[in-house]
Amino acid sequence: MANEYSTSDFRKGLRVLIDGEPYLVTESTFMKPGKGSAVYRLKLKNLVSGNVLDRTYRSGDKVEAADVEDQSVQYLYNDTAEWHFMHPESFEQYAISKDNLGDTWKYLKEETRVDVVFWNGQPITVSPPNHVELEITYCEPGAKGNTATNVKKPATVETNAEVMVPIFMNVGDVIKIDTRTGDYVERVSRA
Amino acid sequence: MNLRSILEERARILKRTRAFFDQRDYLEVETPSLCRGVLVEHTIDPYKLQDLNNGENFYLHTSPEAGMKRLLVRGSGPIYQISRVFRQGEVGEVHQPEFTLLEWYRPGWGPQELMKEVSELLEDILGVQPADKISYRDLFKNQLEIDPFTASIDNLEALVKKHSVPLPPSMPTENRDAWLELLISFVLQPDLGNDRPLFLFDYPASQAAFAQIRCEGELDFGERFEVYFQGIELCNGYHELLDPNEYRLRFEQANELRLKEGREELKLDEQFLEEMEARLPACSGVALGLDRLILLALKKQSLKEVLPLTIDDV
């Protein structure tokens, strides 16, 4: 389906095809000198490589829509090379390589629901929930009585990712992590 | 800022603007928003409406210019108007398809006197220093070391590329003004009027719109001006064209350009042209985007922050 967007459709969040690759519009600016012609400026991010582009268009220009689809799927397991997901209703399974996952693997434990962008039927990006709760599987023992949250130490969580946590944390504590920044937010439960 | 304080600021600025003009012997007027024809501009698209009963077509005005010039012909003297105007497809941080325009005309004045008055209004509303002034030609010469009146298209193109301005796919490469507009929008405009408002004046004749054209040797200047503050364009003023035949010619040229670019041809405002036969008194006039003025007064970034309701809310 070769859908096209005209300049009046331009807005942040649109997914378009440029030079055969899918891009997300991250910024759309309308510029018009008083008595001159309108120019639309798009900042775009490649949905596969993450590269950014700066493009301009005049009224009448068209941009091809990217054939992308969002689905909410469930994380199943990984074999260290690929991460496997399943659609909860169709039970269809997908594999995504670690390279394509970026940092997302750090936040995936079994049954986590993630948003996946499919392009031409292939999964290209995986977005975890904004916050996940993960159990600490290894860290130096907690410093008793030290409740300062600004003093941090590294901890390994159940996905094998490393997170900086306050010094009073212990193995078995469950912590909340902001996946957008990778930062520790709070302790959810104690060991 | 909460809604109430934005509404209060807006009301205060409107009141202060009216006081400014009342003190200077301008009369506030109102003219129709509905029109059967327009003063055709190449890049401005009016909304079209239809009478539900007899099918008659109307446009919504894109500025009150036609009505106000007809009042001037009939001897109104100095007048100003604050009106809602409508321009299709203009949506952005500082664009709304429906917005408030402040427009005024002073018979007997040239553009220099009117620029001084615009500056005084800005000093009054924004509390800024008196505006600086630079001609369109000097701005390009000083900032880009190019003469916008004589540079070849190849030179303009090279300059656009040097500044890494991405080219639109349908760039009309033979159109000098399109290259100049890219340079203004992407390279020059962001820094125009940083500390105090800055007037740009004497445009290339091809960008004169409805301003008089002055010939100086080899060069033709459109006696038009704009003012910028903190990178935002605030107004457009003319040393007004008087000859109805010249108006008709420019409307037809604009329609030709429109057709060339796939835009709809617009019906000329024949009543306006007819009334102009009795001759507009020599005058200058200017239109200023009041919502943008309020945006700058409140130090905001987007019109959405100063308009409680926008096109997205209707």
Side-chain angles (χ1 to χ4, degrees):
Chain A
M1 49 173 204
N3 281 336
E4 282 182 327
Y5 293 119
S6 58
T7 48
S8 56
D9 301 319
F10 285 2
R11 55 185 56 82
K12 199 171 148 176
L14 225 54
R15 272 99 52 109
V16 299
L17 204 62
I18 290 174
D19 303 331
E21 303 226 15
Y23 284 84
L24 172 73
V25 174
T26 55
E27 231 182 286
S28 166
T29 317
F30 176 81
M31 306 167 90
K32 189 173 188 296
K35 295 292 163 188
S37 300
V39 172
Y40 302 77
R41 181 182 206 170
L42 298 186
K43 297 264 169 82
L44 302 135
K45 188 174 160 219
N46 189 308
L47 284 169
V48 180
S49 67
N51 288 345
V52 292
L53 275 186
D54 189 2
R55 290 285 170 107
T56 61
Y57 300 89
R58 288 165 62 95
S59 302
D61 284 336
K62 301 250 193 291
V63 180
E64 201 176 330
D67 180 14
V68 294
E69 188 190 357
D70 296 301
Q71 280 187 18
S72 172
V73 302
Q74 203 171 52
Y75 167 60
L76 295 177
Y77 67 97
N78 75 78
D79 52 28
T80 68
E82 290 186 317
W83 266 245
H84 297 265
F85 300 86
M86 181 181 72
H87 192 277
E89 277 108 48
S90 70
F91 303 113
E92 200 171 336
Q93 291 194 19
Y94 312 94
I96 300 175
S97 72
K98 194 176 179 185
D99 286 346
N100 278 354
L101 271 181
D103 276 345
T104 302
W105 67 269
K106 293 181 177 175
Y107 312 113
L108 299 182
K109 68 173 178 181
E110 283 163 34
E111 295 184 14
T112 302
R113 284 292 273 270
V114 294
D115 292 320
V116 176
V117 179
F118 290 83
W119 175 46
N120 294 337
Q122 292 297 311
I124 50 171
T125 61
V126 180
S127 313
N130 289 342
H131 295 100
V132 292
E133 293 177 4
L134 296 171
E135 189 180 326
I136 295 178
T137 53
Y138 175 76
C139 66
E140 297 291 329
K144 276 228 167 77
N146 189 339
T147 53
T149 50
N150 57 345
V151 187
K152 296 270 169 51
K153 65 178 178 185
T156 307
V157 293
E158 57 189 301
T159 58
N160 281 329
E162 203 168 83
V163 184
M164 296 305 286
V165 300
I167 202 154
F168 56 83
M169 292 287 162
N170 284 301
V171 171
D173 285 348
V174 177
I175 58 168
K176 188 190 231 180
I177 300 168
D178 188 324
T179 63
R180 293 159 295 187
T181 57
D183 291 343
Y184 161 91
V185 180
E186 61 182 2
R187 177 157 66 183
V188 181
S189 68
R190 277 164 195 266
Chain B
M1 277 178 98
N2 61 30
L3 172 72
R4 178 72 195 184
S5 45
I6 288 171
L7 292 175
E8 281 172 0
E9 277 302 300
R10 198 177 164 89
R12 185 187 65 78
I13 291 170
L14 277 167
K15 236 183 231 169
R16 210 175 160 104
T17 302
R18 288 194 161 98
F20 179 91
F21 287 100
D22 294 343
Q23 283 159 16
R24 289 158 185 254
D25 294 324
Y26 283 92
L27 199 60
E28 181 167 12
V29 298
E30 291 174 291
T31 54
S33 310
L34 287 175
C35 25
R36 290 190 169 84
V38 296
L39 315 192
V40 185
E41 295 191 60
H42 155 214
T43 61
I44 297 182
D45 287 337
Y47 282 92
K48 281 208 306 197
L49 313 172
Q50 196 168 45
D51 186 302
L52 288 181
N53 292 309
N54 64 15
E56 190 181 2
N57 286 314
F58 288 92
Y59 298 104
L60 274 177
H61 70 169
T62 60
S63 89
E65 184 170 352
M68 292 182 82
K69 284 182 173 170
R70 291 175 69 180
L71 297 187
L72 289 158
V73 170
R74 296 179 198 185
S76 66
I79 47 175
Y80 77 98
Q81 179 162 195
I82 295 173
S83 55
R84 299 289 272 190
V85 301
F86 307 87
R87 298 179 183 183
Q88 260 194 59
E90 303 193 3
V91 189
E93 290 284 277
V94 293
H95 288 87
Q96 279 287 314
E98 175 177 356
F99 62 100
T100 303
L101 200 62
L102 162 65
E103 186 153 327
W104 73 100
Y105 294 86
R106 171 73 83 170
W109 274 15
Q112 297 297 333
E113 292 151 292
L114 191 55
M115 276 191 261
K116 186 162 172 282
E117 190 164 64
V118 173
S119 174
E120 284 159 4
L121 176 69
L122 299 184
E123 290 161 45
D124 190 49
I125 304 288
L126 299 175
V128 290
Q129 296 295 308
D132 284 330
K133 256 188 261 184
I134 189 167
S135 74
Y136 187 92
R137 194 174 184 211
D138 284 343
L139 177 76
F140 276 79
K141 281 182 161 180
N142 294 351
Q143 302 289 320
L144 301 173
E145 294 171 345
I146 199 165
D147 185 339
F149 285 69
T150 59
S152 70
I153 283 183
D154 285 348
N155 286 342
L156 292 173
E157 183 172 354
L159 200 55
V160 163
K161 289 194 171 141
K162 186 180 140 198
H163 284 91
S164 318
V165 179
L167 286 191
S170 65
M171 180 69 190
T173 48
E174 296 310 305
N175 181 340
R176 294 176 54 83
D177 290 319
W179 292 106
L180 293 170
E181 282 165 16
L182 280 185
L183 289 168
I184 284 263
S185 295
F186 286 84
V187 185
L188 299 170
Q189 180 167 347
D191 293 319
L192 292 184
N194 274 340
D195 309 323
R196 54 170 77 188
L198 175 69
F199 281 101
L200 271 188
F201 63 97
D202 278 355
Y203 281 69
S206 51
Q207 298 179 29
F210 309 140
Q212 296 211 18
I213 291 174
R214 185 182 78 247
C215 303
E216 270 179 29
E218 300 281 281
L219 302 178
D220 291 341
F221 297 93
E223 293 190 312
R224 185 162 84 72
F225 64 83
E226 293 179 356
V227 76
Y228 290 83
F229 185 51
Q230 293 173 352
I232 292 179
E233 178 197 330
L234 266 175
C235 84
N236 176 63
Y238 297 145
H239 188 200
E240 300 291 349
L241 202 59
L242 306 177
D243 179 1
N245 297 323
E246 183 64 26
Y247 272 105
R248 183 182 292 280
L249 189 70
R250 298 214 190 159
F251 298 163
E252 285 167 354
Q253 284 169 345
N255 258 335
E256 268 172 42
L257 276 172
R258 294 182 62 85
L259 285 172
K260 217 162 147 186
E261 291 183 4
R263 291 170 186 266
E264 188 173 314
E265 185 175 11
L266 301 173
K267 230 172 115 188
L268 273 52
D269 186 340
E270 293 294 344
Q271 255 108 352
F272 168 83
L273 288 168
E274 195 176 308
E275 187 137 16
M276 293 296 284
E277 293 289 344
R279 284 302 162 104
L280 188 64
C283 66
S284 290
V286 61
L288 184 146
L290 209 59
D291 303 311
R292 290 187 188 171
L293 184 67
I294 294 167
L295 171 139
L296 288 166
L298 304 189
K299 301 183 167 43
K300 300 288 182 189
Q301 308 295 320
S302 163
L303 289 182
K304 281 189 181 164
E305 298 172 272
V306 299
L307 290 169
L309 296 169
T310 68
I311 189 71
D312 296 330
D313 305 307
V314 298

